[in-house]
Amino acid sequence: GAGVSQSPRYKVAKRGQDVALRCDPISGHVSLFWYQQALGQGPEFLTYFQNEAQLDKSGLPSDRFFAERPEGSVSTLKIQRTQQEDSAVYLCASSLQGPDTQYFGPGTRLTVL
Amino acid sequence: AQSVTQLGSHVSVSEGALVLLRCNYSSSVPPYLFWYVQYPNQGLQLLLKYTSAATLVKGINGFEAEFKKSETSFHLTKPSAHMSDAAEYFCAVSDRAHETGGYNKLIFGAGTRLAVHP
C-alpha cells in the first residue's frame, strides 16, 4: 500500500516568507509526528498528533512554527516569517497507534535564502 | 534527559566484512531503542527495535543489535557487508514513560554514514 507522502519535496523560500508543508500519512494511522533534520544531524522531534489532537508540541522551536491536522488525516506544518536557521529537511511519520512503528515519509527539504 | 551518541560519523568497510555501528544511550528509565536506515532521498526505514524482550534483536537485511544495559549500548552489526548496505544509519531512544501517554517520542543520534567498497 501507499506509504507516507510529503509535498513539496523541495521548497526554496526567501527569508521572511511563510511556507506550508504537507504530510499525507498512511491511511488509518492514528498517530502523526513531525521531525526536523538539520544538515548532518539526526532528526529532532517537533510535534505529535493523535487523530486531530495535538498532544505534544514541545519540540516546536518558536511560535513561528505551527502544525495542524484538522480532520485527523492530512497534516500541515506551517512556518511563518522563515529564517535561514529554518533550513532543514522536515520529516513526517505516522504510526497505527502511538507506540507502534513509525513510518517516515521522504521529507521536504526547505532552503531559506 | 535522554540522549544518544553514535561513535563515528563515517564508517567504511569492504564488501563481505563485518559491519559494526556503535550506539550508546543515556536514559533515566528503561528505554526502547531503535535503529533506522536512510537511503538518499528516502525516508527513514526501521531496521530493528528493542522493547524489553530478548536483548539480542534481529532485524531486516541481516542486521542485528544487542542491548547491553551495563554498557548502555545498542550496537548494530551485520556479519557480511553488501554494497547495498551503503546508507546512513540512525540510532534512536524513546522514553518508555511516554508509553503511558501512548506514543514514542524518538530521540535520534547524529547518524553514521556507512560506505561499502569492493
Side-chain angles (χ1 to χ4, degrees):
Chain A
V4 178
S5 61
Q6 294 185 244
S7 60
R9 291 293 312 278
Y10 303 91
K11 177 69 179 178
V12 178
K14 292 182 179 178
R15 190 174 56 182
Q17 284 185 329
D18 298 349
V19 298
L21 312 180
R22 177 187 169 104
C23 172
D24 284 81
I26 295 172
S27 178
H29 278 197
V30 167
S31 297
L32 186 144
F33 305 78
W34 283 98
Y35 294 84
Q36 179 190 57
Q37 186 176 15
L39 188 64
Q41 300 298 317
E44 292 190 1
F45 173 86
L46 292 177
T47 188
Y48 164 70
F49 288 87
Q50 180 178 320
N51 294 307
E52 68 279 3
Q54 188 176 18
L55 299 185
D56 187 342
K57 52 183 181 180
S58 62
L60 296 177
S62 78
D63 58 8
R64 296 186 296 103
F65 286 70
F66 173 75
E68 61 183 5
R69 194 185 185 198
E71 297 179 358
S73 178
V74 171
S75 177
T76 303
L77 177 67
K78 297 179 179 178
I79 308 173
Q80 297 177 326
R81 305 181 303 281
T82 52
Q83 304 294 316
Q84 283 189 321
E85 61 263 29
D86 300 334
S87 295
V89 176
Y90 291 85
L91 298 169
C92 175
S94 70
S95 66
L96 190 60
Q97 297 288 341
D100 298 324
T101 296
Q102 294 180 31
Y103 295 90
F104 283 79
T108 294
R109 182 177 297 277
L110 172 65
T111 302
V112 182
L113 302 177
Chain B
Q2 292 180 308
S3 66
V4 171
T5 301
Q6 291 185 240
L7 297 176
S9 59
H10 291 80
V11 171
S12 182
V13 301
S14 299
E15 191 174 19
L18 171 71
V19 175
L20 170 60
L21 304 182
R22 300 177 186 274
C23 173
N24 289 87
Y25 69 91
S26 173
S27 178
S28 58
V29 298
Y32 285 169
L33 293 159
F34 308 79
W35 275 100
Y36 280 85
V37 61
Q38 187 176 36
Y39 297 101
N41 297 317
Q42 295 186 27
L44 282 79
Q45 180 183 7
L46 181 68
L47 279 176
L48 48 81
K49 63 181 178 181
Y50 167 77
T51 57
S52 80
T55 56
L56 182 61
V57 182
K58 295 187 182 298
I60 62 172
N61 301 337
F63 285 93
E64 64 182 35
E66 185 172 9
F67 172 69
K68 292 187 177 180
K69 183 178 178 180
S70 61
E71 298 178 8
T72 61
S73 69
F74 191 58
H75 301 330
L76 181 71
T77 60
K78 181 174 181 178
S80 177
H82 193 272
M83 297 294 287
S84 61
D85 295 327
E88 185 135 29
Y89 292 80
F90 293 94
C91 181
V93 64
S94 172
D95 185 351
R96 284 190 198 182
H98 280 279
E99 188 174 23
T100 62
Y103 63 101
N104 286 322
K105 182 176 177 177
L106 297 177
I107 309 297
F108 286 88
T112 297
R113 184 168 298 279
L114 175 66
V116 182
H117 52 85

